[in-house]
Amino acid sequence: MILLMGIAGSGKGTQGKMLADKYGLHLISMGDVLRMYVTGKQRERMLAGGLFDDDEIITIVDRVLSSIPDNETVVMDGFPRTIPQAQWLLSQVDAGRFQIEMTLHLQASRESVKQRLIGRARIDDTEAAIEARFDEYERSTTPLLAWLSEHNVKVININAERSVEAVNNDLVQYLQDSQKL
């Protein structure tokens, strides 16, 4: 499993698709999964930029991962986002269900990605929702990166403020250098 993390608009979806296509990997995009699974009040909360609680997310991720053979590599775009989610994931690693190869962290500033998000014209990309996702990322995911490192999950920071091709070249190079694919 390769964890792909970064602030909203950092290019996780694009880079995840490129890696999955290049290497024949499974791609699980939590944004896509949630847009497919949620209804009613959950959808309203998501459209406002809110996140789901850990138990809701873990249940959905567990269901999706159960459909993929354990020995196949998965690119996880947007999971885990919190320490409790990461604790669950590491418990699955400890149980031998799968292994985490590394975390690829796409780093970008709010300013550099805000226009990308507004430009893609998705229904959940209002300015208020974007700001809420940025705030939640800083509150939950930023500490998670340090936690993962402390728990022996390799975290590689990639400058995502460059072209799609330059970022992808770096990601491919890291994967090849680590001999994970």
Side-chain angles (χ1 to χ4, degrees):
M1 180 175 290
I2 298 166
L3 306 179
L4 191 55
M5 300 175 78
I7 194 169
S10 62
K12 295 181 305 294
T14 299
Q15 295 299 332
K17 286 175 190 158
M18 291 173 76
L19 291 175
D21 290 348
K22 180 175 181 65
Y23 294 107
L25 308 174
H26 295 276
L27 172 62
I28 299 175
S29 166
M30 286 307 296
D32 291 346
V33 168
L34 291 175
R35 280 186 284 279
M36 182 176 68
Y37 271 90
V38 302
T39 59
K41 295 260 186 237
Q42 290 177 321
R43 181 175 303 282
E44 287 176 25
R45 186 173 30 155
M46 188 173 85
L47 292 176
L51 296 178
F52 296 87
D53 70 41
D54 293 323
D55 290 337
E56 290 173 302
I57 293 294
I58 289 167
T59 299
I60 292 168
V61 167
D62 192 35
R63 187 177 315 145
V64 172
L65 286 173
S66 293
S67 68
I68 298 171
D70 292 349
N71 61 341
E72 295 192 19
T73 302
V74 174
V75 176
M76 289 294 299
D77 164 2
F79 181 87
R81 287 196 177 171
T82 65
I83 290 172
Q85 291 172 16
Q87 289 170 327
W88 174 83
L89 189 60
L90 290 185
S91 76
Q92 300 302 298
V93 169
D94 290 344
R97 187 169 175 194
F98 38 73
Q99 60 185 18
I100 299 173
E101 307 298 343
M102 67 183 66
T103 300
L104 299 171
H105 176 225
L106 303 180
Q107 291 183 303
S109 67
R110 285 179 179 222
E111 297 76 29
S112 70
V113 298
K114 191 168 190 175
Q115 290 311 309
R116 287 184 197 173
L117 293 171
I118 291 170
R120 68 185 184 182
R122 253 185 14 207
I123 192 169
D124 57 338
D125 282 339
T126 64
E127 283 208 43
I130 289 168
E131 287 298 327
R133 288 201 303 271
F134 288 167
D135 291 344
E136 184 61 33
Y137 178 82
E138 289 172 5
R139 194 170 33 256
S140 298
T141 308
T142 300
L144 172 60
L145 293 165
W147 188 91
L148 287 168
S149 289
E150 291 167 9
H151 288 82
N152 301 314
V153 176
K154 186 175 187 176
V155 176
I156 298 168
N157 295 310
I158 309 284
N159 176 355
E161 294 184 8
R162 300 169 299 143
S163 71
V164 169
E165 294 78 17
V167 173
N168 188 256
N169 288 340
D170 279 359
L171 295 175
V172 167
Q173 192 63 53
Y174 281 113
L175 292 172
Q176 289 175 347
D177 288 351
S178 68
Q179 301 177 351
K180 295 300 182 186
L181 296 177

